[in-house]
Amino acid sequence: MTDQKKTQLAVIGGGPGGYSAAFMAADLGLKVALIDVEENPGGVCLYRGCIPSKALLHVAKVINDAREAAHWGLKFKEPEIDLNRVRESTAEVIRQMTNGLGQLCKARQVEYIRGLATYSDSQTLNIVQQDGNPIRLQCEASILAAGSRPTRFGPLIDSPNLMNSTGALKLEEIPKSLLIIGGGYIGLELGSVYSALGSKVTVVEMTDGLLPGADRDLVKPLQFIMEKRFEQILLNTKVTDMKEQKNGVKVTMEGPNVKKPNAIFDKVLVSVGRKPNSSGLGLENTQIKLDERGFIIVNEQMRTDDPHIFAIGDIVGGAMLAHKATHEGRVAAEVIAGHNVAFEPLAIPAVVFTDPELAWCGLTETQALKEDRAISVTRFPWAASGRAATLNRSEGLTKLITDPESNQILGMGIVGNGAGELIAEGALAIEMGAVARDLDLTIHPHPTLSETLMESAGALFGQSTHIYRPKKKTE
Ligand code: FAD
């Protein structure tokens, strides 16, 4: 028999968007049910995305740091890699974090329902629970946060040697040779892991550069290092065919620098993007509208075309990042609780957790050029940073984008060690409407990489202490 339940708010999907929305709504006094197929909340981010990939990138960093310690006169032997232990430690991190989220549900009295939900109408969900028992859940409002999944790639679909990001994170083996199709952040992060563990990694990217969206001067130092660590990076290159062979996958490639148009790789990782989980949810029983790529259309309050349903996170597109999902989720919960708020960020930071890291937020130079928008750009090369020198990581660069009239900070980009942590200051500066002088006059601790942000602001006035670049007389 179908169990009948009622709640004020149902949240479908327990990823960073869904659980943040559920927690916020509960904190605001609503009765909330959170539904997901996993044992605990966490979503792609915790089970097969951000967190496991960063745990493995930490392992890669330890290996690389040990190798690079030779610079300081410290020589370590090549590491013995116990893959089982690497997998176990990553799984422990996931367990610890997702169990914690389960506890937080209980503490906040959010009812966590493990099952698959579909809409039978705008205010009714059919949930098939893990144990097979159905629930009919009536809700005054719902937030759809069902996330996204990897896009499949044409020429070869089913092969044990073909992986998507989820398969790659399982780390079943370390292939001798690995081809990565797609030069976006997921491909480069996972490529960095496999390369540190011993695979010969080739990256194929169809466009003329890695990491579309990031400014080229920031990508350059990263690409320089990756070209040394990876077997090759093939830009403007297309995979036109893949065939399963006894000894791997035969891949046909077309591009200006392809030496072997038919090369065999032990494994192929397809990371060509992600698509929304917007099918199979019973959306035809609601008034929700999708765009041509299947993303749910929402307004700045995260309202869909159905007055009872909100949507957030990867399923609505835009920056498909966990922190964007979280903030959208919190806005949706506040709107449902009656607050007049909107999701209108000036800066959503993007971080590529490679080594070096690359991060940016707000306006990029590329975007400004495209929009024919006047900007000032100042750069502080890390070759002039004492802290970078003590780390032997002088390849970095900090870049500030400001309004030429008001000097308001519009964007920031950083490539270098710890860029992902440093960029938060840029996001705060942009959101607070700071001008370059604010950053220039804020005393930053010495010696730290954070000083490069202050000095990039000083450079705007020709007054950065550690670089001599006087302001032009005409300015
Ligand atoms: P998701 O996290 O996708 O969660 C959706 C949940 O909904 C899933 O648990 C799913 O099982 C559940 N669900 C779907 N349909 C139903 C249904 N019908 N009923 C019940 N439950 C359902 N982002 C970052 O910000 N930083 C990173 O470093 C980063 N690294 C990444 C690395 C990898 C390898 C990948 C794949 C992604 C990474 N991301 C990263 C992206 C990030 O994981 C996503 O942007 C984020 O998880 C999106 O959150 P979400 O709440 O929209 O949905």
Side-chain angles (χ1 to χ4, degrees):
M1 217 182 79
T2 305
D3 207 359
Q4 309 278 341
K5 287 192 174 200
K6 268 191 183 163
T7 189
Q8 273 180 301
L9 174 66
V11 181
I12 302 166
Y19 74 72
S20 305
F23 291 178
M24 182 62 150
D27 292 346
L28 292 171
L30 298 181
K31 181 170 162 26
V32 185
L34 174 62
I35 307 130
D36 196 291
V37 289
E38 301 284 353
E39 188 184 347
N40 277 306
V44 168
C45 176
L46 275 106
Y47 285 100
R48 46 194 179 276
C50 326
I51 297 299
S53 62
K54 266 77 254 180
L56 296 180
L57 278 159
H58 173 67
V59 172
K61 183 152 172 40
V62 172
I63 295 174
N64 289 332
D65 283 352
R67 284 182 188 142
E68 280 158 19
H71 168 86
W72 302 105
L74 302 173
K75 285 202 180 143
F76 295 98
K77 288 198 182 120
E78 276 301 296
E80 271 175 41
I81 298 165
D82 176 352
L83 266 194
N84 272 334
R85 185 60 204 143
V86 176
R87 285 191 288 257
E88 272 166 26
S89 343
T90 310
E92 272 165 28
V93 174
I94 297 171
R95 249 193 324 271
Q96 184 195 337
M97 301 309 297
T98 52
N99 282 345
L101 290 171
Q103 295 297 328
L104 286 172
C105 279
K106 289 192 186 113
R108 287 183 155 100
Q109 296 180 353
V110 168
E111 184 181 7
Y112 187 71
I113 304 174
R114 189 175 183 189
L116 195 71
T118 50
Y119 284 94
S120 64
D121 65 50
S122 298
Q123 291 181 290
T124 315
L125 294 171
N126 288 328
I127 303 170
V128 179
Q129 292 188 92
Q130 182 70 12
D131 58 12
N133 288 330
I135 298 180
R136 200 172 153 79
L137 179 67
Q138 294 228 276
C139 50
E140 288 166 26
S142 66
I143 299 177
L144 184 49
S148 66
R149 62 180 182 280
T151 306
R152 296 178 118 196
F153 180 72
L156 183 66
I157 299 292
D158 288 316
S159 156
N161 296 319
L162 209 60
M163 308 183 280
N164 57 23
S165 57
T166 307
L169 286 169
K170 287 187 185 147
L171 213 66
E172 274 163 4
E173 60 177 295
I174 305 301
K176 282 208 177 73
S177 60
L178 171 68
L179 175 72
I180 297 181
I181 305 178
Y185 83 95
I186 293 179
L188 296 187
E189 288 185 2
L190 291 170
S192 304
V193 170
Y194 277 87
S195 143
L197 293 172
S199 296
K200 289 191 167 166
V201 173
T202 298
V203 175
V204 174
E205 166 57 44
M206 210 167 71
T207 66
D208 61 1
L210 298 174
L211 299 169
D215 281 344
R216 295 302 93 190
D217 54 349
L218 298 173
V219 175
K220 213 168 149 192
L222 171 62
Q223 189 167 335
F224 181 74
I225 289 183
M226 290 208 142
E227 273 163 356
K228 286 201 257 175
R229 292 200 179 135
F230 290 180
E231 190 70 359
Q232 46 181 349
I233 295 174
L234 298 167
L235 301 175
N236 292 307
T237 302
K238 248 178 147 172
V239 169
T240 54
D241 200 16
M242 289 197 280
K243 283 206 173 65
E244 181 78 32
Q245 302 244 320
K246 265 195 205 134
N247 53 346
V249 183
K250 186 167 148 195
V251 182
T252 310
M253 293 180 271
E254 282 175 16
N257 297 316
V258 175
K259 290 194 187 95
K260 277 197 205 158
N262 289 302
I264 293 174
F265 295 90
D266 292 340
K267 294 270 174 191
V268 175
L269 163 60
V270 176
S271 59
V272 293
R274 296 182 63 80
K275 57 187 220 178
N277 287 331
S278 53
S279 54
L281 285 165
L283 300 188
E284 62 284 2
N285 304 322
T286 71
Q287 294 173 54
I288 284 181
K289 290 205 179 87
L290 307 179
D291 71 10
E292 65 288 348
R293 293 192 300 150
F295 291 105
I296 293 177
I297 298 172
V298 288
N299 70 7
E300 67 289 348
Q301 288 197 313
M302 313 317 298
R303 291 177 190 274
T304 67
D305 282 78
D306 192 305
H308 302 290
I309 309 176
F310 291 67
I312 56 160
D314 280 11
I315 203 166
V316 304
M320 290 165 85
L321 294 168
H323 41 280
K324 193 245 357 176
T326 299
H327 281 263
E328 286 179 343
R330 291 169 64 88
V331 166
E334 283 189 272
V335 173
I336 292 166
H339 299 241
N340 188 17
V341 294
F343 181 72
E344 287 169 333
L346 295 174
I348 301 176
V351 182
V352 186
F353 290 87
T354 41
D355 183 20
E357 291 179 353
L358 195 162
W360 69 94
C361 66
L363 185 68
T364 62
E365 193 176 356
T366 317
Q367 201 183 331
L369 273 175
K370 225 187 260 169
E371 293 168 9
D372 203 17
R373 190 165 166 187
I375 51 165
S376 298
V377 181
T378 48
R379 296 179 179 82
F380 185 84
W382 287 21
S385 154
R387 186 63 181 133
T390 64
L391 299 167
N392 189 31
R393 296 309 300 260
S394 298
E395 74 277 359
L397 176 74
T398 297
K399 171 177 180 180
L400 194 67
I401 296 174
T402 47
D403 181 278
E405 299 284 316
S406 63
N407 292 340
Q408 186 174 344
I409 299 170
L410 304 174
M412 185 181 279
I414 308 171
V415 59
N417 212 35
E421 302 288 340
L422 294 170
I423 200 66
E425 183 177 342
L428 181 66
I430 296 168
E431 290 291 353
M432 298 292 289
V435 292
R437 271 293 181 215
D438 294 322
L439 196 50
D440 177 39
L441 292 174
T442 300
I443 301 176
H444 285 64
H446 177 75
T448 63
L449 297 169
S450 72
E451 287 170 297
T452 68
L453 278 65
M454 173 184 72
E455 296 239 29
S456 69
L460 182 66
F461 310 103
Q463 295 164 352
S464 157
T465 307
H466 292 97
I467 51 173
Y468 181 63
R469 218 159 277 165
K471 202 167 161 67
K472 285 184 205 138
K473 290 220 168 68
T474 50
E475 283 172 8

